[in-house]
Amino acid sequence: MNIRSFQLSDANGVTELLAAALSEDCFENTMGPFARQLSWDSDLIMVAEQDGELIGALIGTIDQNHGCIYRIAVHPDFRRQGVGKALVKALEQRFQQRKVRGVWVAGDEHNKAAMPLYEAMGYGASQVMKAFQNLSILAHS
């Protein structure tokens, strides 16, 4: 498995992965923030690939010098194999390089299924941002 930053050639593959891994409602709510983050800083979108196939994606952002893990998606055939953990670790390294003051997890209804992963990686309740309406990645423009 290879974890790397998003590349423009990944656009269709990531869109297909998000559609396969997320609920329809979550997918619809994710596409706008995904596009905004691509236009700002695609280095904060991490992808996992195996044998040339995209099997996971993680959308992160930095807002007011805080890192935010916005959305994670792992293809159903590759869940519980360490893909999500590897994606989070890669994004954490990116945040460290950027010297963010802290890291938050977006605690919306669509991230409930991923909360055990975040908790196992040390993200406690104090790092789950429940009210993130002002997060720039979500701003409608």
Side-chain angles (χ1 to χ4, degrees):
M1 176 174 50
N2 180 41
I3 305 294
R4 61 174 174 75
S5 293
F6 177 92
Q7 299 170 357
L8 188 55
S9 60
D10 296 325
N12 288 339
V14 169
T15 300
E16 291 171 9
L17 171 71
L18 294 174
L22 304 175
S23 70
E24 186 176 330
D25 186 43
C26 181
F27 174 80
E28 290 175 14
N29 286 317
T30 300
M31 292 311 294
F34 171 58
R36 278 186 286 287
Q37 188 59 38
L38 279 179
S39 70
W40 295 331
D41 190 349
S42 63
D43 279 346
L44 296 177
I45 299 173
M46 308 304 298
V47 297
E49 63 180 350
Q50 186 168 302
D51 300 325
E53 179 184 355
L54 291 180
I55 61 171
L58 177 61
I59 302 168
T61 193
I62 296 175
D63 197 356
Q64 299 178 10
N65 204 31
H66 283 88
C68 181
I69 300 170
Y70 174 65
R71 185 78 70 230
I72 192 166
V74 175
H75 190 281
D77 294 343
F78 294 91
R79 291 183 181 158
R80 300 200 152 306
Q81 297 178 31
V83 177
K85 188 174 186 178
L87 286 164
V88 172
K89 283 185 176 188
L91 186 59
E92 287 172 339
Q93 289 176 340
R94 203 54 53 86
F95 287 152
Q96 270 186 328
Q97 292 168 350
R98 306 267 183 109
K99 299 183 180 4
V100 299
R101 284 192 300 230
V103 178
W104 302 91
V105 173
D108 70 345
E109 65 183 275
H110 300 296
N111 273 343
K112 285 180 184 174
M115 284 304 153
L117 166 68
Y118 299 130
E119 290 168 4
M121 295 187 73
Y123 289 92
S126 65
Q127 291 172 288
V128 176
M129 185 172 42
K130 295 196 184 344
F132 56 92
Q133 296 86 348
N134 294 327
L135 188 62
S136 59
I137 194 174
L138 300 176
H140 298 287
S141 51

